[in-house]
C-alpha cells in the first residue's frame, strides 16, 4: 500500500471515529438531558423552573438560587410511604418473578416436548402486546376476584415477564448440554437440575432478569392507578401524579419526586451493568 493510500485510510478511520464520537455525545445528551433538567428544577424556586428556558443560557442548566423546598414538600406530604410501597412491590415481584420466569425459561429452552416452539412464540407475542390494552379488562377480572387494593393485585401481573423469560431461555441454551445429561445419569430430577446446575451458572442472566422485572414494576403507573386507588398502598409514580391538580401544578414537587424515583433504579443499573452486559453477550451465542 502506497503512502497516499495509507494516509487516506488513516484519515477515513479518524473521520469514522469522529462521527461515532459525535453521535455518542448526542445520544448521551439526549439521555442525560431530561434527568439533569429534572434534577436542576427540583432545587430551583418554583418561579425559576421555566423562567430561563428562552433564550437558552447557562442559567437554563444551572440554578441561580438553590432551595430544598420541593423535597420538604414531598416529605411533609408523606411521600416516603409510597416509595416504601414501591420497594415492597418491586422486591416481591423480583423474588416471585425470578422463580416463575426461570422455570418457564428452563422448560422452553432446555426441555424437549411437543408444542415447545408454539408456547415460546405465544410468550413473545404476549410480551409484545401493549399492557395498556389489557389493563382495564384485567383490572376488572382481578377486582372481581378480590384483589382490589391489595399488594397481591399489584404484584401478580408483573411476575410473568416475556422479556425476562426470553433472556433466561437464551442463557440456559448456552449452558453445555453435557451437564444436563450427566445430572440425569446421576438420577437428578428436573427441579434439582434447575436449582443445582442451571441457576448457579446463570448469575448474570438472573441479575439481568431481575433488573427487567424491577424496572417494569418500578415505573408502572396505569396498573397501580387502576387496581390500587387506596392511598394506603399507593406507589411512588401515582403519588407523584397527585401533585398535578385542576387548578394548580406543583412542578417542583413533581421534579423532586421524579429525581428520587429515578435515582434508585439508576443506582441499581450502574451497579449491575456488568452482569447485564455479560448476560446479553452470552445470550447471543445461539
Amino acid at each position: 500500500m502506497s503512502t497516499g493510500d495509507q494516509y487516506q485510510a488513516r484519515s477515513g478511520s479518524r473521520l469514522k471515529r469522529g462521527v461515532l464520537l459525535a453521535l455518542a455525545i448526542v445520544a448521551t445528551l439526549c439521555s442525560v438531558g431530561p434527568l439533569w433538567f429534572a434534577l436542576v428544577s427540583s432545587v430551583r424556586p418554583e418561579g425559576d423552573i421555566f423562567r430561563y428556558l428562552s433564550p437558552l443560557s447557562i442559567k437554563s442548566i444551572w440554578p441561580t438560587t438553590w432551595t430544598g423546598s420541593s423535597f420538604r414538600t414531598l416529605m411533609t406530604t408523606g411521600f416516603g410511604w409510597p416509595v416504601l410501597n414501591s420497594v415492597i412491590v418491586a422486591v416481591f415481584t423480583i423474588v416471585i418473578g425470578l422463580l416463575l420466569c426461570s422455570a418457564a425459561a428452563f422448560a422452553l429452552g432446555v426441555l424437549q416436548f411437543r408444542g415447545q416452539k408454539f408456547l415460546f412464540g405465544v410468550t413473545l407475542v404476549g410480551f409484545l402486546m401493549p399492557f395498556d390494552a389489557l389493563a382495564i379488562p384485567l383490572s376488572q377480572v382481578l377486582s372481581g376476584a378480590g384483589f382490589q387494593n391489595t399488594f397481591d393485585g399489584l404484584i401478580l401481573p408483573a411476575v410473568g415477564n416475556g422479556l425476562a423469560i426470553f433472556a433466561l431461555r437464551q442463557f440456559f441454551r448456552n449452558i453445555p448440554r453435557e451437564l444436563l445429561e450427566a445430572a440425569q445419569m446421576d438420577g437428578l430430577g428436573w427441579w434439582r437440575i434447575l436449582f443445582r446446575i442451571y441457576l448457579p451458572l446463570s448469575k448474570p442472566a438472573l441479575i439481568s432478569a431481575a433488573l427487567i422485572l424491577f424496572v417494569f414494576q418500578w415505573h408502572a403507573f396505569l396498573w397501580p392507578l387502576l387496581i390500587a386507588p387506596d392511598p394506603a398502598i399507593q406507589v411512588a409514580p401515582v403519588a407523584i401524579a397527585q401533585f398535578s391538580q385542576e387548578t394548580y401544578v406543583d412542578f417542583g414537587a413533581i421534579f423532586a419526586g421524579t429525581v428520587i424515583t429515578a435515582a434508585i433504579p439508576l443506582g441499581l443499573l450502574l451497579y449491575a451493568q456488568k452482569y447485564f452486559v455479560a448476560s446479553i453477550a452470552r445470550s447471543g451465542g445461539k
Side-chain angles (χ1 to χ4, degrees):
M1 182 181 293
S2 64
T3 304
D5 292 338
Q6 292 178 354
Y7 176 77
Q8 289 180 353
R10 286 195 298 268
S11 299
S13 178
R14 285 195 295 267
L15 178 61
K16 291 179 180 179
R17 287 198 298 268
V19 172
L20 291 175
L21 178 60
L23 291 175
I25 293 174
V26 172
T28 302
L29 291 176
C30 291
S31 301
V32 177
L35 183 59
W36 177 255
F37 179 77
L39 176 61
V40 168
S41 299
S42 68
V43 295
R44 290 185 191 268
E46 184 72 20
D48 288 354
I49 292 179
F50 301 107
R51 181 178 178 183
Y52 301 107
L53 291 182
S54 181
L56 292 177
S57 64
I58 188 62
K59 296 180 181 180
S60 303
I61 60 175
W62 193 259
T64 56
T65 304
W66 297 71
T67 178
S69 59
S70 298
F71 290 95
R72 286 194 294 270
T73 299
L74 287 181
M75 296 302 103
T76 56
T77 55
F79 184 71
W81 287 111
V83 173
L84 179 60
N85 289 337
S86 291
V87 171
I88 293 173
V89 171
V91 169
F92 276 95
T93 299
I94 290 173
V95 174
I96 301 173
L98 283 181
L99 290 174
L100 293 179
C101 292
S102 60
F106 182 76
L108 295 174
V110 178
L111 305 184
Q112 296 179 353
F113 56 90
R114 184 177 300 177
Q116 182 183 46
K117 293 183 179 180
F118 173 77
L119 289 178
F120 179 60
V122 171
T123 301
L124 293 183
V125 171
F127 167 71
L128 295 175
M129 184 178 298
F131 181 75
D132 293 353
L134 305 174
I136 293 178
L138 184 60
S139 66
Q140 294 174 345
V141 172
L142 291 185
S143 296
F147 290 99
Q148 183 81 13
N149 290 320
T150 64
F151 283 106
D152 294 340
L154 288 169
I155 295 169
L156 283 178
V159 296
N161 188 289
L163 183 58
I165 294 174
F166 175 79
L168 288 169
R169 173 187 180 272
Q170 296 302 105
F171 198 94
F172 288 167
R173 286 170 61 86
N174 284 284
I175 295 177
R177 198 164 182 85
E178 289 78 6
L179 295 176
L180 171 64
E181 295 172 352
Q184 288 178 316
M185 292 180 63
D186 290 338
L188 294 183
W190 292 119
W191 286 107
R192 296 175 68 185
I193 292 174
L194 172 62
F195 284 101
R196 290 193 179 186
I197 298 177
Y198 277 80
L199 292 187
L201 295 174
S202 305
K203 182 179 179 181
L206 290 173
I207 294 178
S208 176
L211 287 175
I212 293 171
L213 291 166
F214 175 82
V215 170
F216 273 82
Q217 183 65 285
W218 184 260
H219 293 295
F221 175 77
L222 179 59
W223 179 252
L225 187 65
L226 292 172
I227 199 67
D230 186 354
I233 60 171
Q234 196 175 66
V235 294
V238 178
I240 293 174
Q242 303 302 314
F243 292 103
S244 177
Q245 304 295 330
E246 292 184 6
T247 58
Y248 176 69
V249 179
D250 192 341
F251 286 104
I254 291 175
F255 283 124
T258 301
V259 169
I260 292 175
T261 55
I264 296 175
L266 180 61
L268 290 176
L269 287 172
L270 291 177
Y271 170 76
Q273 62 177 340
K274 60 181 180 180
Y275 299 106
F276 185 80
V277 173
S279 173
I280 297 299
R282 285 286 302 272
S283 298
K286 284 190 179 181

